Amino acid sequence: MVISAKNVGQTYRSGGRPLTVLRAIDLDIEAGEKMAIVGPSGSGKTTLLGLLAGLDQPTTGTITLLGQDLAALDEDGRAAFRAANIGFVFQAFQLIPTLTALENVLVPLELAGALKQAKASELRARASDLLGRVGLGDRIDHYPAQLSGGEQQRVALARAFAGAPRLLFADEPTGNLDADTGAIIIDLMMELNEAAGTTLVLVTHDLDLAHRTGRTVRLAHGSIASDVRTPLPASSRAPSTATI
Ligand code: ADP
Ligand code: MG
């Protein structure tokens, strides 16, 4: 199990009354698995994804990633753990507008590279290579405002893959894209995912996309309403490393 949530709950206490948005979530995700989280707006999808990725800490329960109990780490420890193991694609891309495509991809590389004392020139070469793989080799010096939505999402994807994460999370990665561009992004995620055996957890409203992952968890009012595995089409079969 690379991701394990036990009795996870989240209660927000900003404002007046406490608001419980997730309750008693139990979820186990295996290495190399691809999983979609679906559910109506406000059902807790983004909250759950953030907790599973270690961006936030749950109010109750425990989350274990790659055998590490996240609550056992302090804030810096969690940041280092995320830099080494986790990629996250935010819903609205969240590229840094004052940095070029290459510099945006370099941000997590520098975070992770600092740990491994990698050379700056090697990191730039890797960032450039990643952008080439998402089809943006001729756009590396463009700023986000000079890129289309689909191109920005591809930069966000390259950035999420930059640290060669074992776990990749994506929040509605096709939500802001037209159907054709969305399909390119999904193919890329599946491809990169299969090549590296990366575990993929994504939130989506697109049921066709959810179906392509092979496992769909449906949230309703902060609880898991269903957890369904469907046979995968041949083109998106799980990588062989999934069984290790
Ligand atoms: P989804 O992604 O399924 O649309 P979210 O996880 O974003 O749902 O939100 C679930 C509920 O939690 C919503 O009702 C939202 O208003 C509330 N919520 C999300 N983040 C916060 C926060 N930081 N403080 C207070 N309430 C929040
Ligand atoms: Mg959301």
Side-chain angles (χ1 to χ4, degrees):
M1 232 50 76
V2 290
I3 303 172
S4 183
K6 296 254 179 293
N7 192 35
V8 163
Q10 185 70 310
T11 300
Y12 288 117
R13 293 180 192 284
S14 55
R17 274 193 289 159
L19 179 69
T20 296
V21 300
L22 287 178
R23 49 181 76 75
I25 301 284
D26 287 314
L27 203 54
D28 283 321
I29 303 171
E30 290 171 35
E33 198 168 11
K34 287 178 277 196
M35 193 189 91
I37 300 171
V38 302
S41 177
S43 57
K45 303 182 299 296
T46 293
T47 302
L48 179 59
L49 199 72
L51 292 175
L52 293 178
L55 298 177
D56 297 303
Q57 285 294 99
T59 316
T60 65
T62 54
I63 291 171
T64 309
L65 299 184
L66 303 166
Q68 172 69 55
D69 175 2
L70 291 182
L73 299 173
D74 62 13
E75 196 67 43
D76 288 349
R78 275 197 297 277
F81 181 85
R82 284 197 307 269
N85 299 296
I86 288 171
F88 201 99
V89 181
F90 293 92
Q91 185 170 1
F93 320 146
Q94 294 201 8
L95 298 178
I96 300 171
T98 54
L99 299 182
T100 65
L102 186 80
E103 290 162 348
N104 266 284
V105 176
L106 268 171
V107 170
L109 274 178
E110 282 167 347
L111 283 174
L115 305 172
K116 298 172 201 151
Q117 302 193 323
K119 284 200 201 103
S121 58
E122 285 168 12
L123 296 181
R124 288 185 77 82
R126 175 156 168 76
S128 178
D129 175 57
L130 279 160
L131 285 166
R133 281 164 59 189
V134 299
L136 292 176
D138 55 353
R139 298 278 196 286
I140 65 171
D141 293 323
H142 285 224
Y143 290 89
Q146 300 168 326
L147 298 168
S148 72
E151 288 168 345
Q152 289 182 53
Q153 189 62 306
R154 280 188 269 166
V155 176
L157 209 56
R159 178 178 62 179
F161 264 87
R166 291 178 62 190
L167 313 177
L168 181 74
F169 299 85
D171 195 355
E172 302 195 28
T174 59
N176 294 309
L177 308 176
D178 62 74
D180 287 350
T181 313
I184 292 169
I185 296 294
I186 294 312
D187 286 346
L188 255 163
M189 266 187 1
M190 298 281 174
E191 251 172 63
L192 291 169
N193 165 269
E194 281 172 31
T198 311
T199 305
L200 178 62
V201 180
L202 49 91
V203 168
T204 185
H205 283 295
D206 178 345
L207 293 184
D208 287 339
L209 166 56
H211 199 74
R212 281 185 65 183
T213 62
R215 180 178 178 190
T216 302
V217 166
R218 179 173 297 277
L219 287 186
H221 307 297
S223 299
I224 294 180
S226 64
D227 182 350
V228 178
R229 281 167 218 260
T230 48
L232 286 171
S235 62
S236 53
R237 223 176 282 129
S240 55
T241 49
T243 51
I244 294 170

